[in-house]
Amino acid sequence: MTHFSVEQNNIDQEGIHALAMSPHMVNLVHLNLKSNAVGNEGLHGLAIGGILKLKFLNVQHNEIGEDGFRVIAESENFTKLTELKIFDGNQGTSAEGKNALKRAHTLQALRFIS
């Protein structure tokens, strides 16, 4: 599986942890988690799971704050990201958070943040 969308499915941090550890997700490049309940802890689970080829990630409307930005910026699992949708409707969004993502050394492939 290379593309997976669970938009508006009430997926929480436990669901994301299970998804990230699934052997069926190792080739995932496109993940749409828009409008769920992922939160910062869910991003942490995604960041330590086995999904290493991810190029597109949408976590808009998921109660992501500065801790979530830090998880994305520091994780070696997100080094292939080229597009990240995080800012629309997330609580801790700020210009500072966006700039931190842009400066992250692990996100050198990242071309688009919205």
Side-chain angles (χ1 to χ4, degrees):
M1 176 180 307
T2 59
H3 288 65
F4 192 64
S5 179
V6 287
E7 186 173 328
Q8 298 180 333
N9 277 283
N10 204 28
I11 305 295
D12 61 8
Q13 64 190 26
E14 291 175 13
I16 294 304
H17 284 263
L19 177 98
M21 299 309 238
S22 171
H24 302 289
M25 298 294 164
V26 295
N27 292 315
L28 198 64
V29 294
H30 183 107
L31 179 58
N32 180 6
L33 298 171
K34 183 177 179 182
S35 300
N36 283 287
V38 172
N40 295 328
E41 286 299 315
L43 276 182
H44 178 72
L46 194 59
I48 63 171
I51 302 173
L52 305 175
K53 299 177 182 180
L54 207 57
K55 293 182 179 183
F56 172 91
L57 176 62
N58 184 349
V59 289
Q60 293 173 311
H61 301 284
N62 272 286
E63 301 173 20
I64 308 290
E66 293 299 324
D67 288 342
F69 298 143
R70 192 170 25 262
V71 165
I72 292 171
E74 295 173 358
S75 174
E76 296 295 327
N77 281 17
F78 297 122
T79 59
K80 295 189 182 334
L81 272 183
T82 57
E83 186 171 350
L84 174 62
K85 294 185 177 234
I86 193 170
F87 287 98
D88 186 22
N90 287 314
Q91 296 289 340
T93 60
S94 67
E96 183 178 318
K98 191 173 186 177
N99 287 333
L101 291 169
K102 287 181 178 180
R103 290 188 306 264
H105 74 280
T106 57
L107 297 175
Q108 293 190 14
L110 191 61
R111 299 288 177 248
F112 182 74
I113 303 172
S114 68

